């Protein structure tokens, strides 16, 4: 199974899912119409894409419901400008659903969060269109650049 979440900086959200038994996490771009955009294209805010992660998972290990819980616990769902220090459309939140079941689960989780917080979330729910894998230097950034990654987490306000 696959799931697609835009959670701000894709470097920052990648390792979280590996802790919870997701088979693979791929950094990339989703949501826009431009075919095969580059990191610079997306970062320039001109493509309509968001930094997105593609999760490959086995429902026997972790289900979509749990993936949504992990997602919501690791983003600021009320920030419509981006995430932490990363601002701009490409860093905004989105859940790209692939079927009615995923949409319904996401709607339920968001409604529950809004009810308990008393605030309106800023998470787009959009049908999945396409996913373009980011350049290799962005894959597993936290493993390739541990010191820079740690600094990114601290300076971003995520840690």
């Amino acid at each position: 199974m696959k799931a697609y979440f835009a959670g701000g900086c894709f470097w920052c959200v990648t390792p979280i899912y590996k802790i919870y038994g997701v088979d693979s996490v791929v950094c990339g771009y989703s949501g826009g119409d431009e075919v095969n955009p580059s990191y610079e294209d997306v970062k320039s805010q001109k493509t309509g894409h968001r930094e997105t992660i593609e999760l490959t998972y086995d429902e026997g290990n972790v289900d979509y419901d749990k993936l949504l819980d992990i997602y919501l616990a690791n983003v600021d769902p009320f920030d419509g400008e981006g995430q932490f220090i990363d601002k701009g459309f490409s860093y905004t939140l989105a859940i790209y659903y692939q079927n009615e079941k995923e949409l319904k689960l996401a709607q339920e989780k968001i409604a529950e969060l809004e009810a308990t917080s008393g605030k309106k979330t800023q998470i787009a729910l959009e049908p999945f269109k396409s996913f373009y894998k980011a350049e290799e230097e962005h894959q597993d950034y936290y493993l390739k650049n541990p010191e820079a990654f740690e600094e990114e987490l601290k300076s971003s306000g995520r840690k």
Side-chain angles (χ1 to χ4, degrees):
M1 305 286 302
K2 293 192 185 290
Y4 299 89
F5 300 125
C9 171
F10 49 32
W11 296 342
C12 296
V13 292
T14 297
I16 296 160
Y17 289 95
K18 298 232 177 164
I19 294 168
Y20 289 94
V22 170
D23 296 331
S24 74
V25 182
V26 176
C27 293
Y29 318 109
S30 200
D33 294 321
E34 185 170 324
V35 176
N36 203 26
S38 71
Y39 178 73
E40 292 304 320
D41 293 337
V42 173
K43 195 173 178 176
S44 74
Q45 312 302 323
K46 297 176 185 171
T47 66
H49 287 290
R50 292 178 178 95
E51 288 193 12
T52 301
I53 54 172
E54 176 188 70
L55 306 174
T56 302
Y57 66 100
D58 178 340
E59 285 188 315
N61 295 329
V62 61
D63 61 17
Y64 192 77
D65 187 68
K66 180 65 175 176
L67 295 178
L68 287 170
D69 288 340
I70 296 165
Y71 174 75
L72 292 171
N74 286 283
V75 297
D76 177 355
F78 309 109
D79 187 347
E81 302 295 317
Q83 288 293 285
F84 304 93
I85 63 169
D86 296 313
K87 300 300 180 188
F89 181 81
S90 67
Y91 298 109
T92 60
L93 301 177
I95 297 170
Y96 296 107
Y97 62 89
Q98 299 172 87
N99 54 52
E100 289 301 312
K101 179 182 174 191
E102 289 181 358
L103 174 60
K104 185 175 187 274
L105 281 170
Q107 288 171 326
E108 289 170 359
K109 294 284 184 183
I110 289 171
E112 182 180 309
L113 179 59
E114 289 178 346
T116 58
S117 70
K119 299 182 198 175
K120 174 101 174 87
T121 61
Q122 301 296 312
I123 303 169
L125 292 176
E126 298 181 7
F128 176 74
K129 294 191 291 190
S130 58
F131 177 80
Y132 300 98
K133 184 178 177 181
E135 297 82 351
E136 189 55 39
E137 70 234 38
H138 301 294
Q139 307 305 323
D140 293 322
Y141 184 84
Y142 71 104
L143 294 174
K144 295 174 184 172
N145 304 285
E147 293 85 16
F149 175 72
E150 187 68 22
E151 187 55 41
E152 176 77 17
L153 287 180
K154 287 177 185 173
S155 66
S156 75
R158 285 184 184 261
K159 185 172 184 179

